[in-house]
Amino acid sequence: NAGVTQTPKFQVLKTGQSMTLQCAQDMNHNSMYWYRQDPGMGLRLIYYSASEGTTDKGEVPNGYNVSRLNKREFSLRLESAAPSQTSVYFCASSEARGGNTIYFGEGSWLTVV
Amino acid sequence: AQSVTQLGSHVSVSEGALVLLRCNYSSSVPPYLFWYVQYPNQGLQLLLKYTSAATLVKGINGFEAEFKKSETSFHLTKPSAHMSDAAEYFCAVSEEGRRALTFGSGTRLQVQP
């Protein structure tokens, strides 16, 4: 009963390095999301994928890229990490209808030094 | 555009006291409204949601929320706080045709013995 699984859970990067956050869901959901959480700002949407083969920008997409590899997997890439990207990143998934519950992973803590 | 305002970034109550966490939203169309809870170093868990059925929604752990269209509010309540309720609570909104959630900035609930 895994739900939404994210890796890695913790990562420290140097400024300018690149990395990919991996996410997989086993609930057969069509829609997947990447959010970042910063103190006092709630969760902000980075990118989402309404269905396999489609991706769209959210509120804060600059500095990120995504790939919807298949229905299960949705990865987030930082091409050149910056200290402003220090955050907790959450992957999530849901059925493809408004009002459906969005299920979250456990989070990935990323520090850029 | 949709938005969520949570009044009070920190709320402290005594064990056994009423819990009231405030949420106001703006939406150009009838909204879907959610409350999520986040325990330390964990992902977000759905407490309850409003999807245009009954205006009083009951959730897990004894929480409930009432949708008041005239006040554009969806406040979260629990009659009697328990120590285990200490966590951060997020109100969120989505609309038909937009699956992604827009979150408020969160309210950290502290329960004093």
Side-chain angles (χ1 to χ4, degrees):
Chain A
N1 195 16
V4 179
T5 304
Q6 301 178 224
T7 57
K9 193 169 180 68
F10 300 98
Q11 184 73 49
V12 178
L13 284 178
K14 294 182 178 179
T15 298
Q17 285 186 320
S18 63
M19 77 158 296
T20 300
L21 298 175
Q22 306 285 354
C23 175
Q25 52 92 8
D26 62 2
M27 294 174 281
N28 201 35
H29 287 161
N30 284 301
S31 300
M32 297 186 73
Y33 315 84
W34 276 105
Y35 285 88
R36 60 177 288 174
Q37 182 180 21
D38 302 290
M41 303 187 74
L43 280 79
R44 293 179 293 168
L45 183 66
I46 305 171
Y47 271 93
Y48 68 100
S49 171
S51 61
E52 186 178 355
T54 69
T55 60
D56 288 284
K57 294 179 180 180
E59 183 183 354
V60 288
N62 291 346
Y64 305 96
N65 285 301
V66 290
S67 296
R68 184 73 184 266
L69 305 170
N70 48 55
K71 190 172 185 179
R72 289 187 65 247
E73 298 173 287
F74 188 41
S75 62
L76 178 72
R77 183 162 178 82
L78 287 70
E79 291 291 352
S80 179
S84 61
Q85 294 178 304
T86 293
S87 188
V88 183
Y89 292 85
F90 287 96
C91 180
S93 70
S94 74
E95 291 290 351
R97 281 202 315 276
N100 278 290
T101 301
I102 293 183
Y103 295 88
F104 287 83
E106 292 290 299
S108 296
W109 275 254
L110 176 65
T111 301
V112 183
V113 298
Chain B
Q2 54 192 7
S3 67
V4 176
T5 302
Q6 291 184 241
L7 291 175
S9 58
H10 289 83
V11 170
S12 183
V13 300
S14 298
E15 192 172 18
L18 172 71
V19 175
L20 170 61
L21 304 182
R22 299 178 186 274
C23 172
N24 288 88
Y25 70 91
S26 69
S27 175
S28 57
V29 298
Y32 301 113
L33 293 159
F34 302 77
W35 276 100
Y36 280 84
V37 61
Q38 183 181 35
Y39 298 103
N41 300 319
Q42 294 188 24
L44 279 73
Q45 177 184 2
L46 180 71
L47 270 180
L48 49 81
K49 66 178 180 180
Y50 167 78
T51 57
S52 77
T55 56
L56 182 62
V57 181
K58 294 187 183 298
I60 62 171
N61 302 337
F63 285 93
E64 62 181 37
E66 185 172 8
F67 171 66
K68 292 187 176 181
K69 184 178 179 180
S70 62
E71 298 177 8
T72 60
S73 69
F74 191 57
H75 301 331
L76 182 71
T77 61
K78 181 174 181 177
S80 177
H82 191 273
M83 296 296 290
S84 61
D85 294 328
E88 189 153 22
Y89 293 80
F90 293 94
C91 183
V93 64
S94 71
E95 301 169 348
E96 190 62 58
R98 177 179 166 80
R99 302 178 191 92
L101 295 175
T102 298
F103 284 86
S105 56
T107 298
R108 186 167 298 279
L109 175 66
Q110 189 175 26
V111 182
Q112 306 281 4

